[in-house]
Amino acid sequence: MIYVKTGRLARTLAAWAALTAACLSGTAQAQPAPQRLQAIALNAGMHAIRAEVAITPEQRQMGLMYRRDLAPHEGMLFVFEAPSPQCFWMKNTPTPLTIAFLADDGTIVNLADMKPFDESSHCSAKPVRFVLEMNQGWFAKRGIQAGAKISGAPFQGGTR
């Protein structure tokens, strides 16, 4: 038979419960790691872009969520199967972004600035297959507007 004074047992159980709760709450609040995808080279005139490519529905859904370290020349290119209206939001995304909705030939249809963690929708002005996210202000700092072209392998050959 084990004998433990009631006060000591209560303190031990309370400490164990507090430690367990702290461990569980830390696990529950841990944020997922940002995804890192294969990248391709794109250009906006003389400006080089290193764009990770999100092709699958899962990759597109995760996008740049949780990403805090997007370099100035880096972005993410979202590729869809067919042109359709595309809408994006910033759920779980701490980095301010500018989104460019792109026609099949790489022409920028429209641009939108997006605020961190904002769940407002930002949509394409017409159906598109490609969407490029860059650090907020990247396009503006380079004088790149709607009507400009992004070049690279995905846009060679025009419409698909």
Side-chain angles (χ1 to χ4, degrees):
M1 179 175 200
I2 299 175
Y3 175 75
V4 179
K5 290 185 179 178
T6 307
R8 183 173 177 201
L9 177 60
R11 285 192 304 274
T12 302
L13 288 174
W16 179 82
L19 179 60
T20 302
C23 289
L24 289 176
S25 68
T27 302
Q29 293 176 354
Q31 90 183 15
Q35 70 178 339
R36 304 290 174 164
L37 302 172
Q38 183 174 354
I40 61 170
L42 301 175
N43 291 306
M46 65 180 198
H47 305 286
I49 299 168
R50 180 187 175 277
E52 293 180 39
V53 183
I55 298 172
T56 69
E58 296 79 17
Q59 290 170 338
R60 291 190 303 253
Q61 182 178 5
M62 181 74 156
L64 291 171
M65 284 185 183
Y66 310 107
R67 185 76 68 93
R68 295 186 181 279
D69 61 343
L70 195 60
H73 68 286
E74 291 181 343
M76 183 168 284
L77 180 69
F78 297 80
V79 180
F80 295 88
E81 294 78 23
S84 63
Q86 302 297 340
C87 293
F88 282 65
W89 61 353
M90 295 286 285
K91 182 176 182 179
N92 299 320
T93 308
T95 304
L97 301 171
T98 299
I99 189 164
F101 298 96
L102 309 172
D104 279 358
D105 67 354
T107 300
I108 299 173
V109 172
N110 63 299
L111 296 160
D113 286 338
M114 301 189 301
K115 297 177 186 174
F117 304 108
D118 183 10
E119 294 188 21
S120 302
S121 289
H122 301 274
C123 301
S124 59
K126 68 178 195 177
V128 296
R129 285 187 58 229
F130 301 102
V131 177
L132 178 62
E133 290 180 338
M134 299 291 290
N135 280 304
Q136 192 169 96
W138 189 90
F139 296 97
K141 287 176 189 172
R142 291 157 182 81
I144 300 169
Q145 301 174 0
K149 281 197 176 186
I150 304 296
S151 60
F155 313 112
Q156 294 172 356
T159 38
R160 298 170 197 246

